Amino acid sequence: MARPTSRHSYPGRTLLVLLALILALGGTMLLQKAFTPKLGLDLAGGTTVTLTPKPPNGGSPPQEILDRAVSIIRERVNGTGISDAEVAKSGDNIVISVPGVGQDEVIKLVGTTAELRFRQVLAEQATQVPQNLPTEAPKPSTTPSGTQSGKPSTKPSEKPSDKKPTATPTGKALSSALTAPTPTPSAQNTKKGKDAKATPTPSATPSAQPSTQPNQDQNAGINTQGVDPAVLKQFQALNCADPKKRGQGVQDDPSKQLAACDKDGQAKYILDVAKVVGTDIDSAGAGIRQGTTEWLVQLDFKSKGAAEWSKLTSVAYNSQEPRNRVAVVLDGVVITAPNILGPIPGGRAEITGGFTQKTANDLAEQLKYGALPLKFERSSIETVSSTLGQDQLQGGLIAGAIGLGLVLIYSLLYYRGLGIVAVLSLVVASIITYSAVVVLGHNAGFRLSLPHIIGLVVSIGITADSFIVYFERIRDEMKEGRRTLRAAVEVAWVRARRTILIADAVMFIAAVVLYVLAVGGVAGFAYAMGLTTLIDVIVVFLFTKPFIALLARLKFFAKGHPLSGLDAERMSTAPDTSTGRPTTPQEA
């Protein structure tokens, strides 16, 4: 006779694990003050932006280029496929619909071209900014925590323990330093000692100060060797003091030198050709520097980009000020130009300085999903209401409630006492599903739309199917002559869980394939179905099985009470020849 093993003897512990999971989800909701799911475009409305392409030579844009732009924008607004954002072509235009956000947020999300260039600085000059600007304005230091001791630098030798975090000055560039992510203690004292420490300089001023009357000699203090005369002329005419003339959004030619302003308009630069560009980036992500609270953007370069990045930092390292600096140019504007204090091999880098969690994530998303291959103008922007009315939403919820109710009624009528397990399993699954939807909505951009709701309703059948398989296996074990219900519960579980896992695996694989291949509402449906399939496994393993193991210890179920669902009539094997009535396993 099969007996329960020790690992099956403590169902209460398994139920405690489930309780801890539910409390963790509830605690997350409480800490974030998020108690309702975020709704999708069809339930909450949003913003629609129409972009019209502007090809450089006029005419209609090639369809393959337009398709690439659609793909990039779709990744930006709905990278995970669960936010219910929609991107579609309408003729030569691209129509973007984003749920639940305002116009400014959508414009910022889709309007930035994110053309990233890494260019060596050839020359730098302070601009004519307001006269009350301090002549020695401190610039964020090279340290990851933003210490204000000198110019920003790229150096692979910093130790986080040496940092003293201070606030980044207001109005400084989007990022203040470009650093190697893996420090080595030997790189700091290898170059004649000149870069062993940051040199305090005025904000955005060159190493050689311009004359007090720059209009008389605009090239004072500037090394023009190797500078394209046409670019030098543009540099002299560049007016960075005017915020509207700093070149934001310019799609510069990476194969040519560039005259550009910094983000604050305090300096202008002559920059060499771009040796590394945005398409050389393999991945980008936001994170916190270890041991600090400083947000940064981490970059991983592709193989070709990694080699070029190593060459670029090596050339800059062996150059004189200001050519020992590499400018990070985003959309035609220099966001930072740190000193290079050592070659950076390995294909990894970090952009740091003054980031919040939101700004770091925004920049990482833009860099990760690449630059638009065309320049677009916004031909229309409008706020749209929900495409489904309250009646349709209520109708869908009522339909789901009716389906759930019918499953519960059938379970109670057919399985009687065991039906209580089915009811409670569905209740637990509903609690976990709702909590997961809320948490995902506030942390991963998940927005509940009608396709998602359909996927969740379909999951009712998935969960019901799992406990039906288990119930029937228990009955089969009882009919085969198992002497006790507790033994039948354990043996039936070993056999039933294989069937449950196979069925859920097939459903999950189908959901993954559909999610990968589809877009829009179909991808949302697949995501919801995959999510609830995983929840079904959690509920069956952490609730249904251990709860039945506890019920098997009660006389009501163990002795086959008529209302237990395990009574003599249902568990009969063959008629007793002496009495003519069914023989139960207990009597066999």
Side-chain angles (χ1 to χ4, degrees), residues 129-188:
V129 292
Q131 297 300 317
N132 58 356
L133 185 69
T135 57
E136 292 291 330
K139 203 169 186 178
S141 75
T142 65
T143 59
S145 56
T147 310
Q148 300 173 7
S149 59
K151 283 189 177 183
S153 300
T154 301
K155 68 180 191 178
S157 57
E158 297 173 321
K159 296 181 180 180
S161 61
D162 298 332
K163 314 297 183 298
K164 294 181 180 181
T166 58
T168 302
T170 303
K172 289 300 175 186
L174 179 62
S175 62
S176 65
L178 186 68
T179 62
T182 308
T184 57
S186 60
Q188 209 170 15

Side-chain angles (χ1 to χ4, degrees), residues 464-482:
D465 182 64
S466 296
F467 59 67
I468 286 174
V469 169
Y470 187 25
F471 290 168
E472 292 301 322
R473 284 304 313 173
I474 293 175
R475 287 185 166 186
D476 289 343
E477 292 298 323
M478 295 289 289
K479 291 177 182 179
E480 289 175 6
R482 302 291 175 184

Side-chain angles (χ1 to χ4, degrees), residues 496-521:
R497 69 184 178 191
R498 184 183 302 111
T499 304
I500 294 171
L501 288 174
I502 292 174
D504 283 343
V506 171
M507 184 67 69
F508 186 75
I509 291 172
V512 169
V513 172
L514 191 61
Y515 174 76
V516 171
L517 298 181
V519 296

Side-chain angles (χ1 to χ4, degrees), residues 41 47-49 77 84-87 95-99 384:
L41 192 67
T47 300
T48 295
V49 178
V77 302
D84 197 42
E86 298 177 358
V87 181
V95 180
I96 305 108
S97 299
V98 183
V384 295

Side-chain angles (χ1 to χ4, degrees), residues 408-428:
L408 297 180
I409 293 173
Y410 174 80
S411 299
L412 290 173
L413 291 178
Y414 186 77
Y415 289 107
R416 299 182 183 178
L418 284 179
I420 297 175
V421 181
V423 172
L424 294 178
S425 295
L426 288 172
V427 170
V428 171

